[in-house]
């Protein structure tokens, strides 16, 4: 069983930055496929970023490419989402997720492929 605990959300002005953290326990991070998803009010959950098991590849939805970076620190068993140049459209509850197996590239963005989820953290971008 894997537990994921998120932190780092909050209120930020447009153009600002935030870093979300997701601490994992129960299994080594390097064994997991990792993902970040978000859900805005009244909308479906959407893929934001993913990292293949072992950190062999990272993937982003088009709207965050060049602004967001997913990373992992295996020593701390923690994953991160660095978010820069934030806009009001990035406002959502952000969830970290983990899959206990390797995923092919085409499956990285599918929430159905992930076995474990964090509790979610609110990110609000507003002036």
């Amino acid at each position: 069983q894997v537990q994921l605990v998120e932190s780092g959300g909050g209120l930020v002005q447009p153009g600002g930055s935030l870093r979300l953290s997701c601490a994992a326990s129960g299994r080594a991070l390097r064994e997991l496929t990792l993902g970040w998803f978000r859900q805005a009010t009244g909308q479906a959950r959407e893929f934001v970023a993913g990292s293949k098991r072992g950190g062999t590849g990272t993937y982003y939805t088009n709207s965050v490419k060049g602004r967001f970076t997913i990373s992992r620190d295996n020593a701390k068993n923690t994953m991160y989402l660095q978010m820069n140049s934030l806009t009001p459209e990035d406002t959502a509850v952000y969830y970290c997720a983990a899959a206990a197996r390797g995923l092919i590239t085409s499956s990285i963005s599918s929430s159905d492929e992930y076995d474990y989820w964090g509790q979610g953290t609110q990110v609000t971008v507003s002036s």
Side-chain angles (χ1 to χ4, degrees):
Q1 191 73 5
V2 176
Q3 291 79 42
L4 302 174
V5 178
E6 301 178 37
S7 61
L11 173 64
V12 63
Q13 292 187 341
S17 298
L18 278 177
R19 188 177 78 160
L20 305 183
S21 300
C22 178
S25 60
R27 194 153 174 183
L29 207 64
R30 64 181 179 275
E31 300 175 359
L32 305 171
T33 300
L34 304 175
W36 287 96
F37 292 78
R38 66 187 179 186
Q39 187 167 19
T41 303
Q43 298 187 23
R45 187 172 297 189
E46 66 168 348
F47 170 77
V48 175
S51 173
K52 280 193 171 182
R53 187 169 59 177
T56 55
T58 56
Y59 305 87
Y60 300 91
T61 193
N62 286 338
S63 63
V64 309
K65 282 181 181 176
R67 301 189 298 122
F68 290 12
T69 303
I70 185 173
S71 62
R72 58 172 82 200
D73 185 331
N74 290 335
K76 295 182 178 179
N77 228 42
T78 300
M79 61 187 284
Y80 303 97
L81 185 68
Q82 177 67 43
M83 305 185 294
N84 299 328
S85 301
L86 286 160
T87 73
E89 288 68 38
D90 295 315
T91 296
V93 177
Y94 282 72
Y95 299 89
C96 61
R101 63 197 179 283
L103 299 180
I104 60 176
T105 301
S106 59
S107 296
I108 290 284
S109 60
S110 173
S111 60
D112 291 341
E113 298 292 340
Y114 290 82
D115 307 298
Y116 309 103
W117 292 83
Q119 79 282 8
T121 186
Q122 177 70 46
V123 172
T124 302
V125 185
S126 176
S127 55

